[in-house]
Amino acid sequence: VPLMFAGIAVWAPCSQCWNSTAQVVVGDSAPPSSRTKVLSNMTSLRLVGSAVGPLLQIVMLLAMNQNHWGSSVLRAVISAGSVLWPGVLIWTLKLQDLPPLEKTPAGTGRGAAQPTFLPSDLARPVCGIPVRWWLAGTLELVSFVTCIGAGMTVKFFPLFFRVDYGFTPLEVCALSLVYPLSIASMVQVCRKVSKHLGKLNAVVLFHVL
């Protein structure tokens, strides 16, 4: 148990650094006109990737013909994930940096897509603070509150369904498989709805839902 806690403590900051940095890198490497679509697809693919873990766990449990709770089952499932993780690090290190499209010759041509906001719009002060920092601060505050709520609910889903509803290991893995796939599909739905309602209205609507 102490090793598991130590692993989670190390994994948490690494995961957050990766998530935030990856979105910035992909955003800089995508044309402004298709940036929303690219980031939406990236989020959906990341969620689909997270669903592969529970799927592999289901396959492992079926292959081992075990569907009851025990330390041996948990140990095998956790070890499988730890073995696969180094491959992700090696693959990531093989990626090459790309300059932002706005700073490349292709991004400054006559037919290049223009950004939604002008630098002067984002630099306009409101109560002495530039608009860009109002946007960044608001999004960060919303994300912070959402993460607190998610950390108090989603993380306890397996334990809740295990204790209160008597879910078996296969059923808990199935829940963990369907959950990210549902979010991935709704990301694409939100993107399509944003074309009619606007990005901000769509984000607020789906956030409330």
Side-chain angles (χ1 to χ4, degrees), residues 186-201:
M186 293 307 297
V187 169
Q188 298 301 318
V189 173
C190 181
R191 180 175 64 83
K192 293 184 180 299
V193 172
S194 67
K195 296 180 180 179
H196 304 282
L197 298 181
K199 296 177 183 178
L200 182 59
N201 293 332

Side-chain angles (χ1 to χ4, degrees), residues 8-85:
I8 293 174
V10 174
W11 161 250
C14 295
S15 175
Q16 292 303 315
C17 291
W18 160 257
N19 290 337
S20 57
T21 306
Q23 292 188 33
V24 173
V25 172
V26 173
D28 283 344
S29 304
S33 59
S34 61
R35 190 165 292 161
T36 300
K37 181 179 180 180
V38 170
L39 290 176
S40 298
N41 291 339
M42 173 188 171
T43 302
S44 295
L45 288 175
R46 187 176 60 191
L47 289 167
V48 170
S50 65
V52 173
L55 179 61
L56 293 177
Q57 292 172 353
I58 292 175
V59 173
M60 180 182 298
L61 291 174
L62 292 176
M64 297 171 58
N65 194 24
Q66 295 189 25
N67 193 24
H68 60 276
W69 293 102
S71 299
S72 60
V73 176
L74 296 176
R75 193 178 299 113
V77 171
I78 294 174
S79 299
S82 301
V83 171
L84 294 174
W85 178 242

